Amino acid sequence: MLMKEDKCKIEICGEISNETLASFTMLYAPLIKQDAVTLYQTLLAIGTRHAKIKNHLLIANITGLSMEVIEKNRRILEQYLLMKTYYDALHNAYIYQVFMPKKGSEFLRHEVFGRLYMKEMGKQVYEFNKLCFAPAIEDKKGYQEITIPFENVLKEDWEDSQEELFKKMKPKQDILTQNDIPLSFNFDRFLTGYSTMIFPLKARSGENLHAIGELATIHGISEMEMRKLVSQCIDLKKGRLNLEALKKKCRNAKPVYEEKQQDPYGLPPVIFLQKKQRGVKVSHADKFLIENLITDFKMKPEVVNVLIEYVLETTNQRFTRNYVEKVAGVWVRLGIDTKEKALAQIEEEKQKGKPKPNVEKKQLPAWYHDQDSVQSNQQVDEEALEKMLKELEGEQHG
């Protein structure tokens, strides 16, 4: 059990803004409840001070919470992706990483959090917050964009040798751990010798590189093969990468993956599913669903592979979207972020003798069936939710 004397450090990842503060107060707080709110705000406040704490004593004194309550609510914050915990058993020491809340529009569009919020708070509250957080977009119909693009002052003066030197000297960017998804993609191998005439500097943003690594990890595409696909999706006139086009090409690409590790859960999820179906090519719908588990549910590839195996075994080899997303939602809320935790959860269910689901009868959305705490006057209108989510997404990209 956690003790006040146990060592700890707090790391703050990001900076709170008025937008994320409003999101935390209006969206997160009603779901995580007061004790978790108090713990989060206290960790955030202590972590931004110059004097650093050495143990849990100050946390307990300021919050007024017992160590048992602190540990319980720490897990709640972890489930809502507001913090991560690391433990050093040898020195009995903890490191708490505290993350910023999602912006309101991102929270309401989230596959799990958005549905959970509507289920708990009702359609009217969800609609009000949608109006609060969805950015007002000016209708540009009838207008012609006359923005002057950036003029590349380097032009032909920038040589590949200079690019290689710049890459060695510039501050390191932790592309591999962005968004907490471990990527099995060698960025050095991908970029070394990749001409800037084919893959322009302007297109090599951290966001684009992470998307490339993520797609390669999901679909099992090698670095050299990914070069070919990226090159086909570059608008050389504008120096931009068309990510949507790249996603489509990755779904159509034939996986080329060197199976170096013995652990099958370490395979790219698309290849893992393909092996489960005896080498038969994975359908576009299933590839899209796997992408969704990683990009929207923020599940690690190894956890996705365990989930794939679990769903196939418990549904007579069916891979239906509703059931997959229901299981994914439960695992996210339980904080299952490693294959070990996922396998332990499956074993726990087996010990309880949980009956296999009848997927043929599941007509309602996945999140609808897990609403024991919902009052009868808060029934969710699926069509209304779907309409609002589409409107919100349209406002985001308008």
Side-chain angles (χ1 to χ4, degrees):
M1 180 180 173
L2 192 65
M3 304 291 290
K4 292 182 181 180
E5 296 77 17
D6 292 346
K7 300 174 185 176
C8 73
K9 295 180 181 179
I10 302 173
E11 294 180 358
I12 305 299
C13 303
E15 293 183 4
I16 197 82
S17 65
N18 290 335
E19 174 71 17
T20 52
L21 178 60
S23 173
F24 179 75
T25 303
M26 297 172 67
L27 304 178
Y28 285 85
L31 299 183
I32 66 178
K33 307 306 180 187
Q34 187 56 50
D35 285 347
V37 170
T38 300
L39 178 60
Y40 179 79
Q41 292 175 334
T42 302
L43 291 174
L44 192 61
I46 295 175
T48 56
R49 300 306 91 199
H50 295 298
K52 303 303 179 184
I53 60 175
K54 296 181 178 179
N55 53 43
H56 292 78
L57 185 60
L58 187 63
I59 299 173
N61 288 342
I62 292 178
T63 61
L65 303 175
S66 68
M67 298 309 296
E68 183 179 2
V69 173
I70 288 176
E71 191 165 19
K72 174 185 175 182
N73 285 278
R74 183 206 82 203
R75 292 170 181 167
I76 293 175
L77 294 176
E78 290 170 351
Q79 290 170 12
Y80 281 84
L81 309 181
L82 291 171
M83 68 178 292
K84 294 180 72 173
T85 304
Y86 298 87
Y87 178 61
D88 180 352
L90 181 62
H91 300 96
N92 192 30
Y94 294 79
I95 295 178
Y96 298 127
Q97 280 188 333
V98 181
F99 297 91
M100 297 303 106
K102 292 179 178 294
K103 292 183 178 180
S105 56
E106 294 177 5
F107 183 97
L108 293 170
R109 291 177 59 240
H110 193 273
E111 293 289 340
V112 178
F113 300 156
R115 283 173 164 79
L116 182 61
Y117 189 83
M118 185 171 178
K119 184 190 78 170
E120 293 293 334
M121 305 304 292
K123 186 174 75 172
Q124 289 183 336
V125 176
Y126 183 97
E127 176 69 25
F128 174 78
N129 280 290
K130 174 190 159 186
L131 296 174
C132 287
F133 290 104
I137 303 297
E138 187 70 33
D139 186 6
K140 300 179 184 64
K141 187 177 181 180
Y143 287 77
Q144 180 181 2
E145 183 178 358
I146 59 172
T147 307
I148 299 175
F150 172 76
E151 183 180 355
N152 190 352
V153 295
L154 296 174
K155 296 183 178 179
E156 274 85 42
D157 295 335
W158 187 257
E159 299 177 357
D160 285 346
S161 60
Q162 293 173 298
E163 169 63 11
E164 293 302 318
L165 178 61
F166 175 72
K167 285 196 307 183
K168 292 179 181 178
M169 296 185 66
K170 70 178 181 178
K172 296 295 183 182
Q173 180 180 20
D174 194 2
I175 301 171
L176 292 174
T177 57
Q178 186 176 343
N179 292 337
D180 301 320
I181 303 299
L183 304 179
S184 54
F185 187 75
N186 190 321
F187 287 94
D188 288 335
R189 185 184 304 163
F190 172 71
L191 291 172
T192 300
Y194 199 174
S195 172
T196 55
M197 298 294 292
I198 302 174
F199 187 22
L201 297 174
K202 190 176 180 180
R204 301 189 184 198
S205 65
E207 181 180 356
N208 280 349
L209 289 174
H210 184 268
I212 290 169
E214 196 172 64
L215 288 168
T217 299
I218 294 169
H219 295 281
I221 299 173
S222 69
E223 290 81 6
M224 294 302 104
E225 181 64 22
M226 183 57 80
R227 273 196 192 184
K228 297 178 185 177
L229 300 181
V230 169
S231 299
Q232 294 168 10
C233 300
I234 293 291
D235 183 338
L236 291 176
K237 290 184 178 179
K238 296 181 179 179
R240 295 177 183 172
L241 172 64
N242 187 333
L243 276 177
E244 290 305 314
L246 181 60
K247 289 178 182 179
K248 292 179 182 178
K249 288 190 175 292
C250 288
R251 291 174 198 144
N252 290 323
K254 182 179 179 180
V256 180
Y257 183 79
E258 298 178 7
E259 192 170 340
K260 297 177 181 178
Q261 73 285 328
Q262 298 295 320
D263 182 8
Y265 298 120
L267 290 171
V270 170
I271 291 181
F272 183 85
L273 178 57
Q274 184 168 313
K275 285 182 173 291
K276 287 292 182 182
Q277 51 195 42
R278 306 178 191 281
V280 175
K281 186 178 179 181
V282 177
S283 70
H284 277 65
D286 289 347
K287 287 181 179 180
F288 185 84
L289 178 53
I290 289 172
E291 285 182 20
N292 187 50
L293 293 175
I294 291 179
T295 58
D296 290 345
F297 285 78
K298 306 302 179 188
M299 301 182 81
K300 293 180 180 178
E302 64 177 29
V303 177
V304 171
N305 287 340
V306 178
L307 186 147
I308 290 171
E309 185 175 66
Y310 170 74
V311 169
L312 294 178
E313 289 180 354
T314 55
T315 61
N316 195 23
Q317 298 304 306
R318 294 179 177 86
F319 197 60
T320 56
R321 183 184 185 92
N322 276 0
Y323 184 61
V324 169
E325 290 188 343
K326 179 177 181 178
V327 175
V330 172
W331 284 14
V332 168
R333 292 194 293 275
L334 290 174
I336 295 175
D337 56 3
T338 65
K339 68 177 180 183
E340 290 79 13
K341 290 181 181 178
L343 292 170
Q345 173 65 19
I346 294 171
E347 185 60 31
E348 183 179 337
E349 290 184 9
K350 288 180 180 179
Q351 295 297 327
K352 292 179 180 178
K354 191 172 183 179
K356 294 183 179 180
N358 186 348
V359 295
E360 297 293 339
K361 295 182 180 180
K362 289 187 181 296
Q363 301 297 326
L364 295 173
W367 50 267
Y368 184 88
H369 298 276
D370 186 23
Q371 49 180 340
D372 296 338
S373 61
V374 185
Q375 297 178 0
S376 59
N377 64 347
Q378 288 187 326
Q379 295 297 318
V380 177
D381 186 334
E382 168 67 1
E383 291 184 4
L385 172 62
E386 205 63 35
K387 182 179 178 182
M388 284 187 285
L389 287 173
K390 288 180 180 178
E391 288 176 358
L392 185 58
E393 185 170 0
E395 292 165 347
Q396 282 291 99
H397 300 289

